[in-house]
């Protein structure tokens, strides 16, 4: 079968085969997918197809096998999902973390950036300076002012629970 003959065969047979596979699968999109995949496989063999050797039957058979294979794979996946217990839900942020984030949001951006990079990302003052493009002295000042402002803002939230401090760093 030449390329032109295959193209004509595709144009004539695709809608018919899709209708047949739709009746088989019950899903029009799935029917289109498996018929298209069967045609892709047939394209590699188009020179071997003879017009009188029922290429449509070959494509229909391949498409049906593909549909069954997909259905089996989906069923195995569903059975596996049913046997696997759902993961434990991840706990949400605690009140300390929520208070810290709320207080950080109220800081000026430069101070907030310095505090997050230094205390939460564990970067040194020099690394923070390198990332922000600010001099080391400026980073130290931002950290000092930001910590002082955080302390004021979090002092009112102590009823919700203290913010844990380790080695001088807010965690």
């Amino acid at each position: 079968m030449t390329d032109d003959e295959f193209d004509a065969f595709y144009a004539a047979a695709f809608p018919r085969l899709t209708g047949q596979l739709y009746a088989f699968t019950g899903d029009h999109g799935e029917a289109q997918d498996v018929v298209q995949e069967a045609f892709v496989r047939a394209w590699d063999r188009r020179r071997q197809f003879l017009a009188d050797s029922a290429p449509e039957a070959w494509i229909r058979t391949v498409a049906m096998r593909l549909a069954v294979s997909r259905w089996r794979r989906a069923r195995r996946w569903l059975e596996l999902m049913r046997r696997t217990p759902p993961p434990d839900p991840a706990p949400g942020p605690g009140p300390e973390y929520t208070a810290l984030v709320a207080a950080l949001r109220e800081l000026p951006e430069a101070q907030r950036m310095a505090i997050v990079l230094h205390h939460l990302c564990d970067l040194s003052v020099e690394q923070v300076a390198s990332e922000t493009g600010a001099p080391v002295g400026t980073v130290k000042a931002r950290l000092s002012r930001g910590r002082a402002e955080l302390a004021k803002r979090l002092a009112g939230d102590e009823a919700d629970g203290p913010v844990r401090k380790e080695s001088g760093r807010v965690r």
Side-chain angles (χ1 to χ4, degrees):
M1 187 178 286
T2 67
D3 292 357
D4 291 336
E5 290 172 333
F6 189 87
D7 289 344
F9 167 62
Y10 175 84
F14 184 81
R16 185 173 43 253
L17 289 166
T18 300
Q20 293 166 2
L21 268 290
Y22 173 56
F24 181 68
T25 63
D27 182 335
H28 191 260
E30 181 73 9
Q32 288 178 322
D33 287 349
V34 295
V35 171
Q36 186 67 37
E37 177 66 25
F39 268 105
V40 167
R41 292 180 183 192
W43 176 257
D44 294 334
R45 301 168 171 245
R46 67 188 176 280
R47 304 242 189 274
Q48 300 164 357
F49 278 153
L50 299 175
D52 59 344
S53 68
E56 191 169 327
W58 186 90
I59 290 178
R60 182 177 31 260
T61 301
V62 170
M64 290 181 124
R65 288 179 182 167
L66 287 168
V68 169
S69 178
R70 287 180 175 195
W71 180 80
R72 286 180 180 155
R73 200 172 318 128
R75 190 179 71 191
R76 279 193 304 264
W77 181 83
L78 184 60
E79 288 172 4
L80 176 67
M81 293 307 295
R82 285 183 180 158
R83 281 190 238 136
T84 306
D88 293 333
E96 301 88 11
Y97 184 78
T98 305
L100 177 62
V101 170
L104 281 168
R105 284 185 183 150
E106 296 175 10
L107 293 180
E109 183 180 347
Q111 290 177 7
R112 182 173 58 239
M113 176 82 71
I115 287 176
V116 168
L117 290 174
H118 184 64
H119 293 293
L120 299 177
C121 298
D122 289 328
L123 297 182
S124 69
V125 172
E126 292 76 18
Q127 289 172 319
V128 173
S130 174
E131 280 205 22
T132 61
V136 171
T138 303
V139 171
K140 288 180 181 179
R142 289 174 181 169
L143 287 170
S144 176
R145 290 183 189 123
R147 283 191 293 252
E149 190 62 32
L150 275 177
K152 278 193 266 181
R153 294 181 188 277
L154 292 173
D157 294 336
E158 284 184 359
D160 295 337
V163 174
R164 199 173 83 201
K165 292 187 179 184
E166 293 176 10
S167 68
R169 293 185 174 183
V170 177
R171 295 282 180 186

